[in-house]
Amino acid sequence: YTMIDSIKKVPSVRRLSGLLNIATTGYGKFLPGIDIGPLIHTVAFNNIEGLRSRFGVRTNTAFSKKWVLQGYLAYGFTDKSWKGGADVTRIFSKIPWSSLRVSYKRDLEQVGFHPDDIGYYSLFAASVRWGTLVRPYYEDQVQIEYQREISKGITAKVNFQNRGFDPIYPFAYRITPELENDSEIKSGFRNSTIKTELIFARDQLTIVSDNERLNFGAIKSPTITLSHQVGLKDVLNSSFYFHQLTLKY
């Protein structure tokens, strides 16, 4: 591990840390205890929202080394719709890493390009909000996630999520498929899930900067992720029951 915040009092290191935060997370210093960003998501232009403007803030170690408060607001000038989100993270330990995060958001997303799948801080994640959006939908999401590093290179996660899917592209499904044309047809749905995940990354490069745990991938050995997700039908208006087992290599 590299604990950048342990040597923050050195001016050159302080400057380096600020540049590292901007390069890796997109956040820059705004006010004492508060960062602004991610800067690459500040403006976008697409066929649904037109001009999209976004403003986001989060707290840093000057505010607290155990709590992270984060939130954002965005507005589309064509769909005339406000979006936003907020989350609270409690850091129990940095070495080994252990944290609990509670979050809520409502925003415009795209099938196949969800931030949970492609990340949020990369240039690619910012670029997919420009131009013609692919199968766009409005999503509201509540999420609770506990994460703990069991040992070096092995991380466990437990996640509860309730997500609403409101498509603005042609999409429909039959409530009772066996009834065929007599079945009721719906377009949107809501789903609650519980997901457990194990990540094996023996020689992964990990940097703890301020209150952020940054992973830069494995140097030699591959990263293996094993997860199991179950759909909780009828829990908080959830529509589906399912099991999903995933292995990523």
Side-chain angles (χ1 to χ4, degrees):
Y1 292 93
T2 302
M3 288 293 294
I4 292 178
D5 58 358
S6 66
I7 52 174
K8 277 283 186 73
K9 293 183 180 180
V10 180
S12 60
V13 175
R14 188 183 300 120
R15 289 192 294 271
L16 177 62
S17 176
L19 292 174
L20 178 66
N21 277 332
I22 293 175
T24 56
T25 69
Y27 280 89
K29 299 297 181 183
F30 180 52
L31 295 171
I34 299 177
D35 297 336
I36 183 174
L39 300 178
I40 57 175
H41 288 284
T42 302
V43 175
F45 191 91
N46 58 66
N47 61 315
I48 302 298
E49 297 172 291
L51 177 65
R52 172 189 169 98
S53 178
R54 181 191 184 282
F55 179 78
V57 295
R58 73 173 183 187
T59 60
N60 54 44
T61 52
F63 174 83
S64 173
K65 294 184 178 181
K66 295 294 184 180
W67 293 91
V68 181
L69 310 180
Q70 187 170 337
Y72 76 93
L73 281 175
Y75 184 76
F77 286 86
T78 296
D79 66 352
K80 301 185 186 305
S81 175
W82 284 97
K83 297 92 176 175
D87 62 70
V88 179
T89 301
R90 174 67 164 95
I91 301 172
F92 301 108
S93 170
K94 292 186 178 181
I95 299 179
W97 185 271
S98 176
S99 65
L100 177 68
R101 177 172 174 259
V102 180
S103 65
Y104 169 80
K105 76 164 188 174
R106 174 172 171 77
D107 210 333
L108 181 67
E109 302 293 353
Q110 302 172 75
V111 175
F113 295 100
H114 196 276
D116 287 352
D117 300 317
I118 66 172
Y120 193 70
Y121 299 131
S122 68
L123 287 174
F124 175 73
S127 70
V128 297
R129 289 197 175 274
W130 290 77
T132 301
L133 301 187
V134 179
R135 292 168 292 181
Y137 63 96
Y138 290 105
E139 175 190 69
D140 63 276
Q141 179 189 66
V142 176
Q143 189 170 202
I144 304 172
E145 181 176 273
Y146 176 72
Q147 179 180 169
R148 180 176 176 80
E149 185 179 27
I150 299 174
S151 64
K152 182 172 173 55
I154 303 178
T155 300
K157 296 181 181 180
V158 180
N159 176 288
F160 170 80
Q161 191 174 106
N162 179 265
R163 177 183 291 180
F165 177 85
D166 182 16
I168 50 177
Y169 70 96
F171 173 85
Y173 67 97
R174 291 189 173 100
I175 300 294
T176 313
E178 57 269 23
L179 295 181
E180 297 183 346
N181 291 337
D182 292 328
S183 172
E184 179 185 354
I185 295 177
K186 293 185 67 176
S187 57
F189 60 83
R190 177 167 295 277
N191 214 28
S192 295
T193 61
I194 289 181
K195 182 179 181 180
T196 55
E197 186 174 80
L198 276 176
I199 303 171
F200 302 89
R202 190 178 63 181
D203 60 350
Q204 180 171 262
L205 177 60
T206 301
I207 293 178
V208 178
S209 174
D210 289 338
N211 290 329
E212 194 88 8
R213 184 175 188 255
L214 307 173
N215 297 319
F216 293 93
I219 299 173
K220 295 181 180 180
S221 302
T223 298
I224 300 173
T225 303
L226 177 64
S227 64
H228 174 253
Q229 188 175 38
V230 58
L232 307 174
K233 187 175 182 179
D234 297 327
V235 175
L236 299 178
N237 298 318
S238 179
S239 302
F240 305 109
Y241 171 77
F242 65 89
H243 283 275
Q244 182 182 49
L245 186 64
T246 304
L247 177 65
K248 294 181 181 179
Y249 178 82

